[in-house]
Amino acid sequence: MPFAVYVLGLSVFCIGTTEFMISGLLPDLSRDLSVSVPAVGWLISGYALGVVVGGPALTVATLRVNRKKALVWLLFLFVLGQTMGALAPGYGVLMAGRVVAALAQGAFFGIGSVVAVELAGPERRGRALAIVFAGLTVANVFGVPAGTYLSQHAGWRASFWAVDALAVLALLGVLFLVPQRPNGPYAGVRAELTAFRNPRVWVALSTSMLTQAAIFCCFSYLSKLFTDVSGFSEAAVPLLLTLFGVGCLAGSLVGGRFADRHLLPNLYAGIAAMALVLALLTITAHDRTATVVTVLAFGVAAFSINPALQAQVMREAGDAPTLATTTNTSAFNLGNTFGPWVGGSVIGAGLGYTAPVWSGALLATAGLGTAALSGLLLRKAPAPAPAAGAGQAPARQGVGAP
């Protein structure tokens, strides 16, 4: 695998750490900013909303720009937003910094996915996407717990500054290590929009949105579940989040391999497993040992589907993948917006910290339904074959085609 693909993974690690680490900073941010826990959770929703709006808009704006140059400028925008957050004097500026950083994420994931597949070759599409999106899982293994630890010992701003420094390193890596490649003839925005005439693209986007809503409905409030329901100390939270991240890493690596050969079966099994595990967590959360086991399983199931979710949209988009994959990132983050809102709402209604868990199980069940619909639609008509140079392999007919 080309080393530049791993550089893209490092960039995604920085972005993912910023997106996810608010969960581990909940108590510190709530105390320091004098806002409620649900209000801190909305910092996750605000970030996700920035991705939803900014991703497609910046992708359209950069369609004529060389992809490497676009990635460099997007990382610069992310660093700017992260710096705003680190310096924020209050909740409003922190939210604004989160949104600015988020504007870069959707376009970076969409363009970066296409670049990774082009560098790796179409026969290793799933593995290349797994490496890039493994940055998200490593963010959970190391980034989120490290951010939580820094926050507990040096304040939450130290967590923001640490990610900022790594993001600058990632920017330099993209600048000097990602090769300059031509974009190919500019076909215009209209050509990219043709992918959205395919109803299976919309079903795939719905699956991405619902499954991510299920994950973040629960994940955003895990730290309070650990301390207020399971009875762990705050000092144990970073270790428990590390455990979740280990499960995420394992799930991503396994899912990347299966996404190349068994795309839809991967989705069915992963989403069904996630719904089951979340249902179990509502029971096991009252026992420390059982909580540890269930949280590990939650991480495996939650991230085993990510490579397949992105690969599915790229397959259905045919020879117009850039805007579609960016829109899929927006769908991810629409779920990331909706999920914490649902979780915060059920907590605010007085239903307790297990309520986001069973709400997540219901959302995962809905995502399994849209994944099943994708399979039914694919049986009726094969996925479109991308044109040469689109960075993908020609699609095969049948469920599970890579």
Side-chain angles (χ1 to χ4, degrees):
M1 188 66 63
F3 185 73
V5 175
Y6 294 94
V7 172
L8 295 173
L10 172 63
S11 304
V12 170
F13 166 77
C14 297
I15 295 171
T17 299
T18 286
E19 182 174 14
F20 301 148
M21 72 179 181
I22 295 297
S23 176
L25 309 185
L26 280 175
D28 297 328
L29 284 167
S30 179
R31 285 191 295 263
D32 189 54
L33 301 176
S34 299
V35 296
S36 67
V37 168
V40 177
W42 295 334
L43 289 171
I44 301 173
S45 296
Y47 184 98
L49 188 60
V51 178
V52 171
V53 175
L58 286 179
T59 298
V60 170
T62 57
L63 282 176
R64 291 179 178 271
V65 179
N66 179 269
R67 290 189 180 116
K68 174 180 176 176
K69 185 177 181 180
L71 293 176
V72 169
W73 280 108
L74 290 168
L75 279 175
F76 177 81
L77 181 63
F78 173 79
V79 168
L80 175 63
Q82 187 71 4
T83 303
M84 287 177 60
L87 295 172
Y91 182 85
V93 178
L94 177 57
M95 177 66 84
R98 296 274 296 169
V99 172
V100 170
L103 292 175
Q105 177 172 319
F108 188 92
F109 280 21
I111 297 170
S113 295
V114 174
V115 170
V117 170
E118 288 178 344
L119 293 173
E123 71 282 356
R124 293 186 292 178
R125 174 180 58 188
R127 295 184 188 181
L129 292 174
I131 290 171
V132 172
F133 284 91
L136 296 177
T137 64
V138 176
N140 282 290
V141 175
F142 298 110
V144 173
T148 303
Y149 180 84
L150 277 175
S151 179
Q152 291 175 349
H153 292 82
W156 60 268
R157 295 180 193 276
S159 304
F160 274 72
W161 284 121
V163 175
D164 212 9
L166 283 175
V168 171
L169 181 63
L171 190 156
L172 294 174
V174 171
L175 183 62
F176 292 109
L177 299 176
V178 172
Q180 188 96 353
R181 296 170 63 96
N183 284 10
Y186 176 67
V189 176
R190 182 174 296 180
E192 289 285 339
L193 291 174
T194 58
F196 297 98
R197 297 176 183 174
N198 181 357
R200 291 196 305 275
V201 169
W202 291 104
V203 175
L205 293 173
S206 299
T207 303
S208 295
M209 188 275 287
L210 288 167
T211 54
Q212 296 308 299
I215 293 170
F216 280 88
C217 183
C218 176
F219 177 79
S220 300
Y221 303 97
L222 272 184
S223 61
K224 296 297 288 183
L225 180 80
F226 294 148
T227 56
D228 291 30
V229 179
S230 303
F232 289 101
S233 66
E234 283 192 8
V237 171
L239 293 176
L240 292 166
L241 292 175
T242 299
L243 180 69
F244 173 79
V246 169
C248 293
L249 181 59
S252 181
L253 293 175
V254 171
R257 290 188 175 273
F258 280 101
D260 279 326
R261 296 186 179 182
H262 308 288
L263 195 157
L264 285 177
N266 181 354
L267 285 181
Y268 299 153
I271 299 172
M274 181 168 64
L276 177 60
V277 167
L278 287 175
L280 287 174
L281 185 57
T282 61
I283 301 170
T284 62
H286 300 280
D287 179 85
R288 292 186 184 183
T289 302
T291 297
V292 169
V293 174
T294 312
V295 165
L296 177 64
F298 174 37
V300 173
F303 275 71
S304 67
I305 61 176
N306 277 359
L309 289 170
Q310 190 77 325
Q312 182 187 22
V313 170
M314 292 183 76
R315 180 188 65 182
E316 299 296 354
D319 58 359
T322 305
L323 186 57
T325 53
T326 299
T327 304
N328 193 42
T329 303
S330 294
F332 272 55
N333 284 274
L334 187 60
N336 297 355
T337 303
F338 183 58
W341 177 81
V342 171
S345 296
V346 293
I347 292 171
L351 299 179
Y353 288 108
T354 59
V357 183
W358 57 254
S359 299
L362 294 176
L363 289 168
T365 302
L368 181 60
T370 58
L373 179 59
S374 291
L376 291 174
L377 293 175
L378 190 59
R379 288 191 182 98
K380 294 181 180 180
Q392 304 162 69
R396 301 172 189 169
Q397 296 187 17
V399 176

